[in-house]
Amino acid sequence: MGSDQFNSLHEKLIARFAALHQQHGFNWLHFACCRDTDEDRGTVQYLQDCATEAGLPSEFLYMDEIGLGEKGEFTDVHDQVISNLFKLYPWEFMLREMFSTKLGDAGVRWLEPAWKSILSNEALLPMLWQMFPNHPNLLPAFFAEDEVPPMDKCVVKPLFSREGANIRIVENGQEIARVDGPYGEEGMIVQQFHPLPKFGDSYTLIGSWLIDDQPAGIGLREDRDLLTQDLSRFYPHAFID
């Protein structure tokens, strides 16, 4: 009693799926994710349930079940053409795979669209620092292969990374934290270190969600380590009267 959240995720998701159906011509929506992750499968199932509640017909398939039709279109296991697809699968993986040459002309409306891969690319950070040096909302960042000025403490990141993978923290030339993973061959950046706020024995990171460009909720990730990872604790926030 007396507690609540600033959270409208469910309502906004249903409203957005309804708008896609009624205003943007989405008559059928495919959902897809990898076969080997229960977390991704649960997330996609929830989103598919929201689409169903919004009146948008849909079907699920795994990423490895997507086929290629005679005219270069992507198809599902029933040989139905995929025209609209939500995929919980990184664009950087898709761009390396066999069907990558067909992505541009397969006629699919992607959720999320391909331009989102630019926003998730760490190469933006040194480019922004070059364009707006000393901006109060930016940290000094540089491509690792360029001349990097001395920094007492810095973070080395791959251009593509998720959930802390392949990130290292270096202090006075000594590595003090790292997470292993599959990234790094695409290149690295070096960014000045800035600590997360620490409450008790845990570092805390706020994650926020946008739906149809509108704020819809926040969640908290906590970890005793300096690097937030895939197994870091997740907490829903709450406020109490």
Side-chain angles (χ1 to χ4, degrees), residues 125-237:
L125 298 175
M127 295 178 70
L128 285 171
W129 186 252
Q130 290 174 14
M131 296 168 65
F132 307 103
N134 301 312
H135 191 284
N137 293 335
L138 296 173
L139 291 170
F142 310 88
F143 291 106
E145 64 268 22
D146 294 341
E147 185 175 348
V148 179
M151 288 182 276
D152 292 340
K153 201 169 185 180
C154 64
V155 182
V156 183
K157 305 177 182 180
L159 299 188
F160 297 117
S161 179
R162 295 174 184 274
E163 299 175 323
N166 298 101
I167 292 178
R168 300 185 297 121
I169 299 177
V170 178
E171 183 173 15
N172 296 321
Q174 300 295 316
E175 184 180 283
I176 62 171
R178 72 175 295 149
V179 176
D180 294 325
Y183 300 96
E185 292 182 358
E186 67 278 8
M188 310 288 287
I189 71 161
V190 180
Q191 185 180 41
Q192 187 180 72
F193 176 82
H194 186 81
L196 292 172
K198 189 176 184 181
F199 301 93
D201 60 355
S202 294
Y203 297 95
T204 303
L205 177 68
I206 296 178
S208 60
W209 293 284
L210 296 176
I211 298 172
D212 194 19
D213 296 327
Q214 299 297 314
I218 64 172
L220 307 175
R221 299 294 296 273
E222 285 190 354
D223 205 301
R224 289 185 175 89
D225 294 328
L226 284 168
L227 294 169
T228 307
Q229 305 173 47
D230 57 343
L231 297 179
S232 298
R233 298 181 299 278
F234 177 85
Y235 293 105
H237 86 293

Side-chain angles (χ1 to χ4, degrees), residues 4 33 43 82 102-103 122 174 189 199 228-229 237:
D4 204 346
C33 70
T43 299
I82 297 174
K102 302 298 182 182
L103 290 172
E122 298 290 339
Q174 300 295 316
I189 71 161
F199 301 93
T228 307
Q229 305 173 47
H237 86 293

Side-chain angles (χ1 to χ4, degrees), residues 7-21 29 31 43-56 86 111-112 209-212 214-217:
N7 187 328
S8 57
L9 275 171
H10 190 69
E11 297 83 358
K12 282 188 169 64
L13 281 169
I14 294 172
R16 184 56 178 163
F17 281 127
L20 292 176
H21 183 39
L29 178 59
F31 288 84
T43 299
V44 170
Q45 181 62 63
Y46 167 68
L47 291 171
Q48 189 176 5
D49 291 345
C50 289
T52 299
E53 191 168 343
L56 174 54
F86 174 90
L111 300 177
E112 300 283 342
W209 293 284
L210 296 176
I211 298 172
D212 194 19
Q214 299 297 314

Side-chain angles (χ1 to χ4, degrees), residues 66-75 81-82 99 101-108 110:
I66 296 176
L68 192 64
E70 293 180 356
K71 298 180 180 179
E73 71 275 26
F74 293 137
T75 58
V81 173
I82 297 174
F99 289 171
T101 58
K102 302 298 182 182
L103 290 172
D105 55 9
V108 179
W110 303 93

